[in-house]
Amino acid sequence: MVYEPEFVPTHVAPSAGLPTWRAPDDSSPSAGLDPLLPVRVTEHRGDWARIVCSNGWSAWVDGRLLITVPQGPPAVGGSPARTADARPLLGRLVEALGSYRSLVQDLAAGRIDLETFDRGTSGIRIGAVVDGDAVWLFDAEHDRWCYCDGTRMATYAASSPPAVRPGDPGPPPPAKPPIGGDSSPTETHPITWTGEA
């Protein structure tokens, strides 16, 4: 199928491709997205994102793993879009590591017992790998690893399956068959974009 010029993608699948699901519940897998396939995100539900391909095929994916397509410059008077800034996450990691270090020092000095140490460290999740200019940071708030290029940050990998959090909208109601039409679902398939017009 030929890529439709009026289809404007917002993201692409990661270079390894991406599994899809019919619904955001991690129980009904569907076809996978090809590597770097352009998609448009139309809805978010927690970590889940509903995507639409240029042929109209739609599915749910782990939205944390999609790669954002850079958009053109904003219109006059608009605010420019920015890549996620790594500095706030670096600040949270330093703070969490400082708290953990303080608890370790208190435990080693006998100022607190092991039970107090366990309570104090409960919920702390810290991760950072620095190898020269290559930096990976764990974002505990979104349960993902990010790669940093200077202050710019992009999702590298998710550490758990996508989830719907309390307060996120529930699943959509099932589609009703057309009146007088066939009630069996129509099978659809994702496309592979070759980059050729």
Side-chain angles (χ1 to χ4, degrees):
M1 176 167 235
V2 175
Y3 178 75
E4 298 292 337
E6 64 270 12
F7 175 78
V8 180
T10 59
H11 296 77
V12 295
S15 58
L18 196 62
T20 69
W21 289 266
R22 291 180 183 13
D25 59 7
D26 198 25
S27 65
S28 52
S30 188
L33 296 180
D34 289 331
L36 304 178
L37 179 73
V39 298
R40 172 173 280 286
V41 172
T42 60
E43 183 180 351
H44 286 279
R45 191 168 300 147
D47 296 331
W48 294 94
R50 184 178 188 85
I51 56 97
V52 177
C53 297
S54 64
N55 67 348
W57 184 80
S58 180
W60 288 89
V61 299
D62 186 344
R64 299 169 297 177
L65 301 178
L66 290 171
I67 301 165
T68 304
V69 173
Q71 301 300 313
V76 175
S79 60
R82 297 180 54 132
T83 304
D85 189 341
R87 290 173 292 179
L89 178 55
L90 282 166
R92 290 194 300 272
L93 288 170
V94 167
E95 185 179 310
L97 188 57
S99 296
Y100 187 83
R101 181 174 185 253
S102 177
L103 287 164
V104 169
Q105 289 174 329
D106 287 348
L107 180 64
R111 291 187 289 270
I112 61 173
D113 60 14
L114 191 54
E115 185 178 338
T116 304
F117 177 78
D118 287 345
R119 276 197 315 272
T121 58
S122 177
I124 295 179
R125 298 174 71 206
I126 306 168
V129 177
V130 179
D131 184 9
D133 63 349
V135 179
W136 293 265
L137 304 175
F138 182 66
D139 180 357
E141 182 181 349
H142 298 102
D143 204 24
R144 64 184 178 178
W145 281 91
C146 300
Y147 176 76
C148 301
D149 175 13
T151 61
R152 297 175 302 173
M153 183 171 66
T155 300
Y156 180 75
S159 60
S160 67
V164 176
R165 295 172 191 85
D168 289 332
K176 294 181 180 177
I179 297 174
D182 183 6
S183 61
S184 62
T186 303
E187 186 174 349
T188 58
H189 300 281
I191 63 159
T192 301
W193 180 51
T194 63
E196 299 172 2

